[in-house]
């Protein structure tokens, strides 16, 4: 009988999302734009070059990220996360064919969509692509400065790392467990963000991050990892 498929390869479950710290511009990027290291790091020795924490054998990567000083955990999310790939193709039409004779790629856009279920001021900064310097921590109160910015100002870019279940045995635990790691080098929120307070719905920030490629053309990486002993 033919093999119909492998149910162990079906991935179900939420990911934990971590965002790099930073203030503005390139200072918020946690990878090296030079030498192409952002595309070739392997979470081991080159992890210190790219700014991405290295894998630790036998340790869940989410725990490694939790201890990383350069990243913050955004906490609970709603409706998971979605990676959207939107290629744009041009067409070549000729007189002899009713359909196009050739397609060629002329553009590309990648988005990461999620919703922050924890409506903290830190998450608000991420949602509106504001620098961390716009948040003020006082003795008895914290606040976020809402301003229009300056003409020509660029939104803050941050690195995103999400850790969720990977393809493999869903019942595996410990060293045999498989996890999937999503890395985005340059992410910035440029869409509308709604801050709400409603009696019949929780306050959360729905965010669409536009991903930009590094100087080597890499948006990031998706890795299936076995924890190991």
């Amino acid at each position: 009988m033919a093999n119909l498929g492998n149910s162990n390869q079906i991935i179900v479950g939420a990911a934990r999302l971590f965002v790099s710290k930073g203030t503005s511009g390139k200072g918020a990027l946690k990878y090296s734009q030079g030498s192409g290291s952002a595309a070739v790091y392997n979470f081991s020795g080159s992890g210190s070059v790219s700014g991405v924490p290295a894998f630790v054998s036998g340790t869940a990567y989410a725990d490694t990220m939790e201890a990383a000083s350069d990243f913050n955990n955004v906490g609970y999310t709603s409706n998971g996360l979605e990676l959207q790939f939107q290629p744009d193709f041009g067409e070549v039409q000729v007189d002899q064919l009713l359909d196009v004779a050739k397609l060629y790629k002329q553009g590309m856009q990648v988005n990461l969509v999620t919703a922050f279920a924890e409506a903290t001021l830190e998450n608000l900064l991420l949602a509106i692509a504001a620098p961390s310097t716009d948040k003020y921590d006082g003795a008895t109160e914290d606040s976020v400065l809402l301003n229009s910015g300056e003409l020509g100002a660029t939104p803050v870019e941050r690195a995103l790392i999400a850790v969720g279940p990977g393809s493999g045995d869903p019942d595996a635990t410990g060293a045999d467990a498989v996890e999937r790691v999503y890395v985005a080098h340059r992410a910035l929120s440029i869409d509308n963000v709604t801050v709400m307070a409603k009696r019949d719905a929780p306050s959360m920030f729905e965010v669409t991050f536009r991903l930009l490629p590094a100087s080597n053309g890499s948006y990031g990486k998706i890795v299936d990892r076995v924890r190991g002993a």
Side-chain angles (χ1 to χ4, degrees):
M1 182 176 178
N3 184 7
L4 300 180
N6 184 355
S7 62
N8 287 344
Q9 304 301 328
I10 299 175
I11 298 177
V12 178
R16 295 168 64 181
L17 184 61
F18 301 86
V19 180
S20 68
K21 299 177 182 178
T23 54
S24 62
K26 293 184 178 180
L29 305 183
K30 295 302 174 184
Y31 67 90
S32 172
Q33 291 218 51
S35 72
S37 62
V40 300
Y41 61 77
N42 57 10
F43 295 93
S44 56
S46 59
S48 59
V49 177
S50 66
V52 177
F55 286 148
V56 178
S57 180
T59 301
Y61 194 57
D63 293 338
T64 301
M65 291 300 305
E66 198 71 55
S69 60
D70 289 336
F71 286 83
N72 284 328
N73 185 350
V74 303
Y76 287 127
T77 58
S78 179
N79 296 323
L81 62 85
E82 298 179 2
L83 269 177
Q84 301 174 346
F85 298 89
Q86 304 173 20
D88 181 21
F89 289 93
E91 300 178 348
V92 178
Q93 292 184 321
V94 297
D95 297 335
Q96 290 76 18
L97 297 176
L98 297 180
D99 203 348
V100 297
K102 188 180 183 71
L103 294 175
Y104 61 91
K105 197 171 188 178
Q106 63 182 14
M108 184 67 179
Q109 182 172 323
V110 180
N111 295 325
L112 188 149
V113 181
T114 189
F116 298 151
E118 298 185 16
T120 63
L121 294 182
E122 290 80 6
N123 285 347
L124 177 60
L125 287 179
L126 302 179
I128 63 177
S132 57
T133 51
D134 280 357
K135 180 176 181 293
Y136 298 89
D137 298 327
T140 59
E141 63 182 37
D142 298 336
S143 61
V144 167
L145 177 64
L146 303 178
N147 58 60
S148 62
E150 299 178 359
L151 183 65
T154 57
V156 176
E157 300 175 4
R158 292 178 169 92
L160 300 180
I161 295 181
V163 185
S167 58
D169 184 357
D171 295 325
T173 58
D176 295 328
V178 179
E179 55 191 9
R180 176 163 290 184
V181 181
Y182 309 80
V183 180
H185 303 315
R186 303 172 61 195
L188 55 159
S189 173
I190 59 175
D191 285 353
N192 295 339
V193 175
T194 301
V195 179
M196 60 184 182
K198 297 183 177 181
R199 60 174 293 179
D200 58 350
S203 297
M204 61 178 61
F205 308 136
E206 297 182 356
V207 187
T208 297
F209 288 103
R210 173 75 181 272
L211 305 189
L212 299 180
S215 56
N216 53 20
S218 171
Y219 289 100
K221 181 179 288 190
I222 301 177
V223 180
D224 275 354
R225 177 224 179 190
V226 179
R227 290 184 191 175

